[in-house]
Amino acid sequence: MNIKNLILSVSICCVLISCKETKKQSAAVDAKPNVILILADDMGWSDLGCFGSEVSTPNLDKMATNGMRFTQVYNTSKCFPSRATLLTGLYSQETGYNKTYKKNMNNAITLGELFKSAGYTTMWSGKHHSTENPVTRGFDHYSGLFEGACNYFNPGMQREGEGQPAQKRNDRPWCIEGEVIQPFTPESKDFYTTDAFTDYALGWLDQHKEEKKPFFLYMAYNAPHDPLMAWPEDIVKYQGKYKVGYEKIRQARFAKQKAMGLLPENYPLSESMHKKWEELTEDEKAREDTVMAVYGAMIDRLDQNIGRLQAKLKEMKVDENTLIVFVSDNGASSENVKLEGTGPIGSITRWTSLRGDWANVSNTPLRYYKNYSHEGGIKTPMIAYWPKGLKNKNTISDTPLHFIDFMSTFADLTGAEYPTNFNEQEIKPMQGISFLPLLKGEEIKREKPLFWEWSKGRAVREGDWKLVSFKGGWELYNLKTDPVESTDLSASHPEKLEELKTKFQNWAMEMGTVEI
């Protein structure tokens, strides 16, 4: 071969190799992203470090710094309606989950079914709050708690050498790989639900390593829902931190939220709804310090487990093209379950609830709590993290979003077609809009109002206007000038009151619900 031919051959080889590499890179760029949806339970708007808290959440904080935070994202104010809405992209009234969880989700597909139709492996670990088995609704894997709340250390029967687990009942249905176990009594005394849910997921991800397709993982944790229970080594990090009292912690969180740019300087703080710390006895102060220390420890442990997931993604070399979204199913809870039991607060034998005073702090700077349709009940902190796909890192979005938007977003992300019929059942149209453009650095516009109706609460939001009620008459707020709902404008803006009231009534009729 002469020199000319040799040079020509080498050039052709280089071009072919280059084309091959370009194709490889193009395929990598075009590959569908993995998706992990993480849901906390009864966690307040300010309970993460990156949303103002003193609780150590370095893994979520890092996701926020290298991702996006969202300040106006809404759930339904209650666990099971929120979870049904998140799973289906429909209001809970449309699936029959506005009053009970003891039924199938009608007129809907689930996120599992959507992702499966797009070629994904689908996994769900954690709380379900339903009686319908996820493995019949599009999930290849499901392990976790079927119902609302359980003992974190032992959801089942008393084990030898231990005290009686504090629980509402000991026969909470549990599921392991789709098989229902009732009651579920873990053999290991190292069992703790937050850790166990992550263990299930890590096992599936290990199995998935050899698969040449993307995955969707739904991590539905039950922390920090009561009973407040945590490992002693986590509790000790926070013991004594809360002896300064409710208002000082609340003010510190509020100041941090402004300092980090989460809230603008002119953002108001809602009127405090907690007791005066100085009026408590020393014993009461010690108890309240411990309660919040355990609550903080539960969030700390949740963050540790998110770190375990992130480490697994890195080990699998899929961390760059995995979208992780973190939300909570409602605001912090003021409820008080009177089943305290015996033993130290935070232990297996003691049921303790957060209650209203600390819930007011957890929801800083918002008003009210879980079950209310006011901002403190329906707002969730949200983080989106996606190294390869996110346009603007370390940004904060104040675009109003709702759990109804997740189905539309994931359909947009994966190219999956949302059906009108599924398994011979008519499927209702998605109610939400895709927020994928926000992740890409673009704007979105919502054409329809947002609605809420749970128990004694109801609300409608259109633009900056919000009409809200709890146990009675309507209140009207402009969230642009009054984001903490402190000044009722219903008397000064009767035309807006009637306009939004009519829209709520029309929606309620469409949903088939009876207005309160």
Side-chain angles (χ1 to χ4, degrees):
M1 183 184 289
N2 62 35
I3 191 69
K4 266 188 181 177
N5 288 339
L6 182 60
I7 291 169
L8 182 61
S9 297
V10 170
S11 299
I12 290 168
C13 283
C14 288
V15 169
L16 289 172
I17 290 167
S18 174
C19 287
K20 207 170 182 182
E21 287 302 312
T22 303
K23 277 184 181 176
K24 253 189 198 175
Q25 289 164 8
S26 176
V29 169
D30 294 339
K32 289 179 181 178
N34 305 302
V35 177
I36 300 179
L37 176 57
I38 303 173
L39 183 64
D41 199 348
D42 281 17
M43 195 191 77
W45 197 79
S46 71
D47 279 333
L48 302 179
C50 53
F51 274 78
S53 179
E54 66 295 330
V55 176
S56 177
T57 55
N59 296 297
L60 284 162
D61 295 351
K62 189 176 178 182
M63 280 171 51
T65 301
N66 294 288
M68 288 182 73
R69 278 171 288 178
F70 297 79
T71 62
Q72 296 200 65
V73 182
Y74 291 107
N75 46 52
T76 75
S77 87
K78 177 68 174 178
C79 302
F80 68 82
S82 284
R83 289 161 190 267
T85 299
L86 190 62
L87 273 171
T88 64
L90 301 176
Y91 286 109
S92 63
Q93 288 77 7
E94 296 178 281
T95 61
Y97 267 61
N98 56 319
K99 291 185 177 177
T100 180
Y101 61 88
K102 295 183 177 181
K103 61 190 300 183
N104 294 345
M105 291 180 195
N106 299 324
N107 314 309
I109 64 165
T110 69
L111 289 177
E113 288 160 340
L114 179 89
F115 276 100
K116 201 162 185 62
S117 74
Y120 280 65
T121 296
T122 53
M123 321 167 200
W124 176 351
S125 181
K127 177 175 169 178
H128 183 14
H129 215 156
S130 176
T131 54
E132 192 172 22
N133 198 321
V135 297
T136 69
R137 295 305 307 262
F139 286 89
D140 297 311
H141 301 279
Y142 172 67
S143 294
L145 170 67
F146 255 34
E147 292 195 18
C150 73
N151 190 295
Y152 281 76
F153 294 109
N154 179 7
M157 308 296 285
Q158 183 176 359
R159 293 179 297 218
E160 189 176 349
E162 286 184 338
Q164 179 64 45
Q167 52 205 171
K168 292 178 181 178
R169 39 180 250 253
N170 60 17
D171 64 342
R172 291 288 192 191
W174 200 272
C175 206
I176 295 183
E177 284 293 4
E179 181 185 348
V180 179
I181 303 168
Q182 189 175 10
F184 172 62
T185 306
E187 290 183 13
S188 173
K189 293 181 182 178
D190 290 329
F191 181 92
Y192 183 75
T193 59
T194 306
D195 299 332
F197 294 153
T198 308
D199 291 342
Y200 297 147
L202 295 179
W204 298 329
L205 290 174
D206 276 334
Q207 293 174 35
H208 182 78
K209 282 179 184 177
E210 305 306 315
E211 294 188 37
K212 298 187 183 301
K213 59 180 182 177
F215 65 81
F216 168 60
L217 171 60
Y218 177 32
M219 292 299 308
Y221 289 104
N222 61 332
H225 193 295
D226 64 355
L228 303 187
M229 295 178 178
W231 292 114
E233 62 266 30
D234 292 330
I235 298 172
V236 75
K237 299 178 193 176
Y238 299 97
Q239 195 81 56
K241 189 182 286 284
Y242 297 100
K243 286 188 175 178
V244 296
Y246 311 120
E247 191 58 25
K248 285 193 176 177
I249 297 294
R250 191 165 178 257
Q251 291 289 346
R253 289 190 177 195
F254 189 51
K256 185 178 176 183
Q257 288 167 343
K258 289 187 173 183
M260 66 173 58
L262 190 70
L263 301 178
E265 274 302 316
N266 63 348
Y267 201 99
L269 178 63
S270 65
E271 185 179 351
S272 62
M273 303 182 77
H274 54 71
K275 298 186 193 80
K276 291 183 178 179
W277 189 256
E278 59 272 20
E279 293 179 358
L280 301 184
T281 66
E282 291 306 307
D283 284 348
E284 288 171 334
K285 289 176 183 177
R287 182 193 184 281
E288 290 299 291
D289 170 63
T290 302
V291 166
M292 195 59 182
V294 175
Y295 182 78
M298 295 171 79
I299 295 168
D300 186 313
R301 177 62 62 157
L302 175 64
D303 184 80
Q304 291 177 47
N305 277 277
I306 290 169
R308 294 173 67 202
L309 286 170
Q310 291 172 326
K312 177 59 69 175
L313 297 178
K314 196 166 185 181
E315 176 195 312
M316 294 169 65
K317 298 181 180 176
V318 297
D319 52 314
E320 289 293 308
N321 198 29
T322 298
L323 168 62
I324 306 176
V325 182
F326 177 94
V327 286
S328 178
D329 65 358
N330 45 251
S333 176
S334 63
E335 297 170 348
N336 183 24
V337 176
K338 296 179 179 178
L339 284 174
E340 286 219 345
T342 59
I345 292 171
S347 68
I348 188 174
T349 56
R350 181 81 171 264
W351 186 301
T352 307
S353 299
L354 186 66
R355 302 189 299 182
D357 298 311
W358 282 125
N360 184 211
V361 176
S362 289
N363 289 332
T364 303
L366 308 172
R367 186 178 171 210
Y368 289 127
Y369 336 88
K370 173 183 178 180
N371 293 313
Y372 287 75
S373 295
H374 292 76
E375 298 290 278
I378 59 177
K379 255 191 179 175
T380 171
M382 176 168 141
I383 302 167
Y385 174 73
W386 183 16
K388 182 172 279 188
L390 206 66
K391 175 72 173 174
N392 299 313
K393 296 177 175 61
N394 198 19
T395 54
I396 297 169
S397 172
D398 62 359
T399 301
L401 301 175
H402 191 285
F403 277 11
I404 58 173
D405 297 328
F406 281 73
M407 177 68 77
S408 180
T409 302
F410 293 147
D412 194 6
L413 180 73
T414 61
E417 187 175 338
Y418 184 84
T420 55
N421 286 276
F422 190 80
N423 288 343
E424 300 181 353
Q425 185 183 64
E426 186 177 341
I427 303 301
K428 293 200 172 183
M430 289 183 287
Q431 291 284 354
I433 61 174
S434 172
F435 58 79
L436 182 61
L438 292 177
L439 306 184
K440 300 289 188 179
E442 302 163 15
E443 295 299 316
I444 61 173
K445 186 177 179 183
R446 188 181 298 279
E447 302 294 338
K448 295 180 181 178
L450 292 169
F451 298 94
W452 293 265
E453 185 178 31
W454 161 253
S455 185
K456 298 177 177 67
R458 52 187 174 159
V460 53
R461 174 174 177 169
E462 185 171 44
D464 294 322
W465 288 99
K466 181 181 175 187
L467 191 67
V468 62
S469 172
F470 189 79
K471 290 186 178 179
W474 291 102
E475 302 162 9
L476 179 68
Y477 300 100
N478 186 309
L479 295 179
K480 186 173 185 179
T481 57
D482 183 19
V484 297
E485 304 165 309
S486 60
T487 305
D488 182 5
L489 301 175
S490 56
S492 59
H493 290 74
E495 71 295 334
K496 182 57 72 173
L497 169 71
E498 289 305 317
E499 178 192 336
L500 292 181
K501 186 176 177 182
T502 298
K503 288 184 177 181
F504 180 87
Q505 289 168 338
N506 290 340
W507 174 82
M509 286 178 63
E510 182 189 339
M511 296 293 114
T513 62
V514 178
E515 189 187 346
I516 299 168

